[in-house]
Amino acid sequence: MIGIIRYGAGNIFSLTAALDRLGIAYGMVNTKADLEQYDRYIIPGVGHAGAAMHKLEQTGLVPAIKALKKPTLGICVGMQLLTAYSEEGNAQLLNLFPIKTLKFPHEGGFKVPHTGWNQVYPEKENPLFENIPTGSHFYFVHSYFIEYDQSFTLSSTSYINKFSASIWHSNFYGVQFHPEKSGTYGETLLKNFSKI
């Protein structure tokens, strides 16, 4: 059963709707005690990484999240929170991955935010991407990206520059795209996560 970490910075309706469609059981995590009820976790997030981190700190959940040993998936800003630092708000984050979240440069006629469908290329074998073909399209909406680091990149994509579409270290996973808005392959990824 998946525990969705609630901290006031995630629009969770589309996520819970996707989990409902897939028949994946879930509940809400509001306190440290709630964590014990679940065998995996999702950290959602939309908007401003610095503000999201501030809200997460106010819940008192930060030490418990950093100590988690069960599979944990950050989505969009939830993924960015797993990194060490974001240029958005000049914010220190959870530092579960010693990499940075950086702002897209305005260059080459590319629009920022990066909005829409883009191809994702897995770079490591991992059950999160089981039954998802290389180059499958996922839906992105973001102005900041996770710097590419081969040590932690699970899959990559390119927009202005190559960056990490997903990251993985130990029991922590992050995806920059929105699997709950990414059609069949996004639902496959959520199903895969529910079985890790």
Side-chain angles (χ1 to χ4, degrees), residues 15-150:
L15 175 60
T16 56
L19 296 175
D20 286 337
R21 282 197 305 275
L22 295 167
I24 297 171
Y26 63 87
M28 300 299 156
V29 173
N30 297 295
T31 66
K32 182 180 176 181
D34 294 338
L35 291 168
E36 297 168 17
Q37 303 173 42
Y38 305 101
D39 52 17
R40 49 187 45 76
Y41 310 96
I42 291 178
I43 306 172
V46 293
H48 188 286
M53 186 64 196
H54 180 65
K55 289 179 179 179
L56 189 59
E57 287 170 338
Q58 288 179 321
T59 68
L61 285 168
V62 167
I65 291 170
K66 294 178 79 165
L68 290 174
K69 301 300 180 191
K70 299 173 183 176
T72 303
L73 174 66
I75 296 176
C76 195
V77 170
M79 167 182 170
Q80 295 174 3
L81 291 177
L82 302 176
T83 68
Y85 166 83
S86 176
E87 289 186 341
E88 187 172 29
N90 191 30
Q92 301 298 317
L93 305 177
L94 291 170
N95 197 24
L96 289 159
F97 292 79
I99 49 181
K100 294 177 182 176
T101 299
L102 306 173
K103 185 172 178 60
F104 279 121
H106 285 273
E107 61 183 45
F110 288 93
K111 292 181 178 178
V112 177
H114 170 215
T115 303
W117 297 84
N118 206 337
Q119 288 180 286
V120 169
Y121 297 92
E123 298 200 3
K124 294 183 173 77
E125 289 285 325
N126 188 281
L128 191 65
F129 279 87
E130 190 173 344
N131 299 318
I132 297 174
T134 294
S136 293
H137 287 80
F138 290 86
Y139 186 75
F140 291 81
V141 184
H142 61 124
S143 298
Y144 292 77
F145 66 95
I146 307 293
E147 64 177 338
Y148 180 85
D149 184 314
Q150 199 168 27

